[in-house]
Amino acid sequence: MCGIFGCIIREGEAVKLITDGLKRLEYRGYDSTGVATIQNGQMSIRKDKGRIEEVVSNLRILDMEGQIGLGHTRWATHGAPSMENAHPHTDSNESIALIHNGVIENYLELKDELLEKGHIFKSRTDTEVIPHLIEEEMKNDIGLQEAMLRVLRRLRGSYALVVLSTHEPDRIFVARNESPLVLGISDNGTFCASDVPALLPYTNQVTYLRNGEMAVMEIDGYQILKISDETRVGRETQEITWSPEMAEKQGYKHYMLKEIYEQPNSLKDGLRLQERYLDLLTQFLDRGKEVFLVAAGTSFHSCLAGSYILSKIARITSIPVVSSEFMERYGSTVGIDSVVLTVSQSGETYDTLKAIDQARMRAATVLGITNTVGSTLTRVSRAYLIQQSGPEIGVAATKTFTSQVLVLAQMALRLAKSRGKLSQDELDELDEKLQKVPDWVEESLEKLADPIEKLAESIMDEELFVFLGRGISSATALEARLKVLEITYVPSLAYPAGESKHGPISIIEDGVTCVFVCPQGETRPHIVGSIMEMKSRGARIISICEEGDSDIIRLSDQVIEMPKGIPEVLSPIVYIAPMQLLAYKLAVMKGLDPDMPRNLAKSVTVP
Ligand code: F6R
């Protein structure tokens, strides 16, 4: 969601670090940019709707002086993108500048109270009530910290807040509830940001703020307090091993492309999971009478693939559920015997965290798979695994999908072993194939770059795509559809191929492009029938199949041939790679920015 950066430094101008930090958070998606600094006790604020470069140059933001300041990139939730609605927001005297990520649920009631007291609002945001409330509290002759604590206790909803004020020109105050906020420290000063990549050029020593905490930043350190009772919290800093270069594009035109090509390596890392955590997670999973796999978006597609894998390898029935639907659907049945395995790249997705809250309240065992060390998901899960994909900057998830499925496959293998569900030979063979997955992905990406480019050229003007697969390949088809849809904006459908004759087939007519995912395996004979159904209605058939699969090749107009020997149960990890590349190429050919699809954010931390 919104990007946040703040710093107090000894050397240099804060504004330089703020604008660089905000640029590293661009992947979170945004519509407006704003900065505030203090120099000689004077506050300056510049903000507007638009991209960082644009706003920085139009408003000459780099001329702003001071060694303390904050910056924000806004992703609208209340009030349209505009200069007035851009952050920072201020109190009546412009002595408090505040930036916020999240949603204040009770802002209307707070605003009414302030309006009655004569406060005038410039924006339509929920955020603006906060500096006005602080101003109001300070009339009681209390300091900024006390005023902020009183206000924070009144706020309902989610927030990561950063406050700069001429009342205390050498300090920055931050607070968190549900929206992520991380603090950093170096010889040059202290920093805060909504996400680690913004801090990496300045420090790798960080502390994650937790829900219900506030921190007071000064030049040489920060003090964390509980908002409820002001008790001091002692927390060690953590060392982040991601280098700044790891979070940059490394010569690729877009982060998405770089991340697609990083998959052979991220998958190798994904095979190096810590044994004892893998064991712990599988033991918990094994104890559940019912197993839910809960996630959103791409992570949900990982869960969908995971449910086939758990069933086929470990003979475990699991129920994949979209996190925003979890409570409505299973809220009254989830309980002490349920295991809720949640999957979230960011570990901060609002809907997923809400589902976890509810599951925990009903005494279910919550397990997590995430890419983000120190994220909320890691703190609220009974046990968790870090999927080891490395930072993913492109908004469209690519390498994190394949790592998640790989983690789920490893869990399934463990379970199959402990439950005695597969013979030693079967286990050894699957394990051997699992180890080959990174190489298969590498081989496919190398061989298929040109064919995918040509394929993309031939279909770039299509106005509709239909993705179809059977069994586990229906998860691959859904994920391929999501990639194409979210970055090319071309309306697209995805269905289990067998289901398409129950309705979706009605849209098939001459020339409609149908993409079939058809690895070798149990479902392979059935997919032929599905292809014929579509072909006989005039569809143009594109198939992604095993190299040399003559039946499929004969029936298709265009084919993408994949390496031989990939077992169907692991196929989503490999078969999705050319589909990601296809989506990427289509977006670039259409002149779109695949890293920043419209209306989307990398981490959806609001309801
Ligand atoms: C799609 C995409 C989103 C995320 C979803 C969940 O490419 O990236 O659909 O998968 O917002 O995010 P996490 O995994 O962080 O919970």
Side-chain angles (χ1 to χ4, degrees):
M1 291 290 113
C2 304
I4 281 180
F5 188 89
C7 63
I8 312 173
I9 49 168
R10 291 191 168 83
E11 305 274 326
E13 294 294 334
V15 75
K16 173 81 181 62
L17 278 64
I18 295 167
T19 49
D20 283 354
L22 291 181
K23 281 198 73 60
R24 284 168 210 281
L25 295 173
E26 279 193 300
Y27 65 91
R28 294 169 74 97
Y30 70 103
D31 51 61
S32 317
T33 308
V35 174
T37 58
I38 295 182
Q39 164 82 335
N40 300 329
Q42 294 293 313
M43 172 96 75
S44 20
I45 298 175
R46 298 184 195 177
K47 61 179 191 174
D48 206 351
K49 178 176 130 179
R51 296 234 157 210
I52 298 169
E53 282 101 342
E54 221 181 306
V55 178
V56 166
S57 130
N58 292 347
L59 302 182
R60 305 172 62 99
I61 282 184
L62 291 175
D63 294 346
M64 292 168 77
E65 290 178 330
Q67 290 177 314
I68 182 166
L70 47 78
H72 187 264
T73 45
R74 173 173 187 256
W75 189 80
T77 55
H78 287 71
S82 69
M83 188 279 282
E84 292 75 17
N85 289 336
H87 298 213
H89 291 286
T90 67
D91 61 332
S92 313
N93 316 312
E94 303 210 340
S95 59
I96 298 168
L98 179 144
I99 55 178
H100 168 217
N101 175 20
V103 176
I104 304 301
E105 285 163 13
N106 57 335
Y107 88 101
L108 281 175
E109 141 197 348
L110 297 168
K111 193 167 180 174
D112 283 347
E113 176 188 312
L114 289 161
L115 284 169
E116 260 181 40
K117 290 185 175 148
H119 287 257
I120 295 166
F121 292 92
K122 297 179 193 135
S123 80
R124 299 177 67 84
T125 63
D126 51 342
T127 306
E128 199 183 359
V129 297
I130 311 172
H132 284 265
L133 284 169
I134 299 174
E135 172 192 349
E136 202 52 38
E137 285 293 349
M138 289 189 80
K139 289 182 186 161
N140 298 320
D141 243 5
I142 53 170
L144 181 57
Q145 178 171 321
E146 180 55 27
M148 227 182 122
L149 282 164
R150 288 189 190 178
V151 170
L152 292 170
R153 290 177 195 139
R154 297 191 66 197
L155 299 181
R156 282 206 314 271
S158 55
Y159 53 80
L161 291 177
V162 184
V163 173
L164 182 70
S165 170
T166 50
H167 297 294
E168 302 232 19
D170 301 326
R171 289 171 153 185
I172 288 179
F173 294 81
V174 301
R176 163 186 178 152
N177 190 47
E178 294 189 12
S179 302
L181 198 70
V182 57
L183 301 166
I185 185 157
S186 79
D187 291 344
N188 194 27
T190 53
F191 311 85
C192 64
S194 46
D195 210 347
V196 166
L199 299 182
L200 285 180
Y202 313 114
T203 182
N204 63 356
Q205 300 298 319
V206 308
T207 309
Y208 288 88
L209 210 61
R210 298 189 181 166
N211 285 342
E213 289 178 348
M214 170 183 174
V216 184
M217 292 166 54
E218 295 180 339
I219 186 78
D220 46 17
Y222 32 73
Q223 176 63 58
I224 302 174
L225 313 167
K226 282 199 178 142
I227 294 169
S228 56
D229 58 7
E230 283 168 69
T231 46
R232 289 179 168 223
V233 177
R235 185 166 309 136
E236 295 288 307
T237 55
Q238 252 175 273
E239 184 174 324
I240 299 289
T241 49
W242 296 349
S243 65
E245 299 76 59
M246 268 175 86
E248 286 173 8
K249 287 187 219 160
Q250 290 166 351
Y252 287 96
K253 198 166 167 212
H254 295 99
Y255 285 115
M256 182 178 177
L257 189 62
K258 168 178 161 285
E259 286 155 6
I260 290 172
Y261 277 95
E262 272 171 1
Q263 288 178 109
N265 281 335
S266 56
L267 289 166
K268 278 181 200 145
D269 286 341
L271 287 169
R272 296 186 196 113
L273 297 176
Q274 291 195 25
E275 295 286 319
R276 61 196 176 111
Y277 295 130
L278 193 55
D279 279 341
L280 192 62
L281 234 73
T282 47
Q283 280 162 18
F284 274 124
L285 201 65
D286 207 11
R287 277 187 230 150
K289 284 225 173 80
E290 56 181 0
V291 175
F292 296 101
L293 305 178
V294 178
T298 288
S299 298
F300 171 71
H301 296 152
S302 307
C303 288
L304 199 57
S307 70
Y308 285 92
I309 299 175
L310 284 167
S311 159
K312 293 204 170 293
I313 298 184
R315 316 284 192 251
I316 284 188
T317 302
S318 58
I319 308 167
V321 198
V322 167
S323 46
S324 56
E325 287 297 317
F326 179 70
M327 274 326 288
E328 280 303 314
R329 206 155 157 201
Y330 297 104
S332 36
T333 57
V334 67
I336 198 157
D337 294 328
S338 319
V339 170
V340 176
L341 173 58
T342 46
V343 180
S344 172
Q345 185 283 127
S346 60
E348 300 291 353
T349 297
Y350 181 90
D351 289 333
T352 305
L353 296 181
K354 268 282 162 274
I356 293 178
D357 273 358
Q358 304 289 340
R360 287 175 76 204
M361 269 163 52
R362 287 163 173 78
T365 302
V366 171
L367 308 176
I369 297 176
T370 180
N371 194 30
T372 315
V373 185
S375 62
T376 306
L377 179 59
T378 61
R379 293 199 297 273
V380 296
S381 303
R382 190 78 163 275
Y384 63 87
L385 271 170
I386 299 295
Q387 60 183 74
Q388 307 292 0
S389 315
E392 187 175 71
I393 308 289
V395 165
T398 51
K399 61 177 182 168
T400 55
F401 170 76
T402 48
S403 304
Q404 286 167 349
V405 183
L406 187 77
V407 172
L408 288 161
Q410 290 174 84
M411 288 175 68
L413 261 178
R414 280 288 143 124
L415 280 165
K417 197 169 162 190
S418 62
R419 291 183 149 209
K421 295 294 181 188
L422 294 180
S423 69
Q424 186 63 47
D425 283 353
E426 287 170 318
L427 278 172
D428 286 349
E429 192 186 334
L430 261 176
D431 195 37
E432 195 186 307
K433 302 266 181 186
L434 203 61
Q435 304 300 323
K436 283 183 76 175
V437 161
D439 295 339
W440 278 323
V441 172
E442 185 159 26
E443 185 187 331
S444 314
L445 287 170
E446 258 172 34
K447 272 200 194 150
L448 294 171
D450 288 342
I452 293 283
E453 174 105 22
K454 290 199 182 83
L455 175 62
E457 272 163 16
S458 73
I459 58 174
M460 71 166 283
D461 294 322
E462 295 303 316
E463 288 170 1
L464 167 70
F465 293 111
V466 181
F467 291 87
L468 297 160
R470 277 191 174 247
I472 196 166
S473 299
S474 57
T476 317
L478 278 161
E479 177 56 10
R481 185 277 301 262
L482 181 60
K483 291 294 89 97
V484 169
L485 184 84
E486 69 183 333
I487 64 170
T488 70
Y489 318 141
V490 178
S492 308
L493 291 181
Y495 265 90
E499 178 68 6
S500 59
K501 58 183 172 297
H502 299 289
I505 200 163
S506 65
I507 62 165
I508 304 300
E509 55 182 2
D510 259 358
V512 169
T513 301
C514 288
V515 182
F516 280 90
V517 184
C518 15
Q520 280 297 344
E522 286 167 28
T523 64
R524 162 65 184 69
H526 308 297
I527 202 89
V528 172
S530 305
I531 295 180
M532 305 234 292
E533 271 165 23
M534 298 297 168
K535 197 174 171 63
S536 61
R537 286 161 179 83
R540 161 197 204 146
I541 308 292
I542 298 171
S543 297
I544 163 163
C545 63
E546 192 175 277
E547 200 180 304
D549 186 336
S550 52
D551 287 348
I552 302 274
I553 295 172
R554 194 166 31 80
L555 285 172
S556 309
D557 298 292
Q558 282 150 297
V559 285
I560 301 168
E561 292 187 64
M562 300 297 288
K564 280 188 193 287
I566 301 168
E568 187 172 20
V569 74
L570 301 178
S571 63
I573 314 176
V574 192
Y575 276 54
I576 197 61
M579 299 283 100
Q580 296 166 339
L581 207 51
L582 180 66
Y584 170 82
K585 298 272 180 197
L586 284 170
V588 173
M589 282 173 192
K590 286 172 181 290
L592 300 169
D593 181 349
D595 282 342
M596 264 182 280
R598 68 183 181 207
N599 303 337
L600 291 178
K602 182 70 185 159
S603 179
V604 185
T605 53
V606 291

